[in-house]
Amino acid sequence: MSTTMPTEVPAAQQAAVATIAQRMIAAWAHHDADGFANLFIESGTLILPGVLRQGREDIRAFFKHAFENEFKGTQVTGKPISMRFFGPDVALLLSQGGVIAPGETEVADAQSIRASWFVVRVDDQWQLAAYQNSPMNTRLATPGS
């Protein structure tokens, strides 16, 4: 994982930002919509393919429904691939991973994603201001194809 910072950021803060991904994985493992939503600031934004949710309560409602339906029995995995700080309380974490379907042990190619995590420190707690992911295995259309 590469880390780029305009100013020196203590290793403990870098680790705290990186643990947001682990906290998300844990909330998903328990299908905990509250735990998932609480990773976000009150006005946080979630963007998934075909999904835009604004605010913690909207994110909570989305995952409550999704964990009972399309995400039932799934798990997620991911690992940080890059981290940049834009001051002592703002960072961008990039990761790759994906959703593991029920009965599977690894992410299928069709479920592989890359994600950006815009995190801010509020009251000494790192939280998501915005999370967005995109499929890894899509190709942009090129002229003539």
Side-chain angles (χ1 to χ4, degrees):
M1 174 175 67
S2 66
T3 305
T4 307
M5 298 163 263
T7 59
E8 191 59 35
V9 176
Q13 293 303 329
Q14 295 175 48
V17 168
T19 63
I20 292 175
Q22 295 308 312
R23 291 171 34 216
M24 182 181 281
I25 290 168
W28 194 299
H30 294 98
H31 287 59
D32 178 4
D34 291 332
F36 196 97
N38 289 336
L39 294 170
F40 289 82
I41 61 172
E42 190 65 39
S43 61
T45 301
L46 171 76
I47 301 173
L48 305 174
V51 174
L52 171 62
R53 296 292 183 250
Q54 297 277 36
R56 188 183 294 148
E57 293 310 313
D58 192 24
I59 294 166
R60 183 184 329 276
F62 172 78
F63 275 97
K64 182 178 183 334
H65 178 267
F67 286 147
E68 294 170 355
N69 294 283
E70 61 268 25
F71 294 151
K72 186 175 186 170
T74 63
Q75 300 296 315
V76 292
T77 188
K79 66 177 183 172
I81 55 175
S82 171
M83 185 184 309
R84 287 183 277 169
F85 284 80
F86 299 95
D89 299 320
V90 179
L92 176 65
L93 174 67
L94 301 178
S95 67
Q96 73 181 48
V99 176
I100 302 171
E104 299 292 324
T105 58
E106 58 187 48
V107 177
D109 284 345
Q111 299 300 320
S112 296
I113 59 106
R114 287 202 180 100
S116 21
W117 314 58
F118 179 61
V119 297
V120 295
R121 187 166 44 178
V122 178
D123 298 328
D124 213 31
Q125 170 82 23
W126 287 97
Q127 293 182 287
L128 284 164
Y131 172 87
Q132 180 275 327
N133 78 38
S134 302
M136 281 178 48
N137 298 314
T138 60
R139 293 180 182 225
L140 294 176
T142 56
S145 63

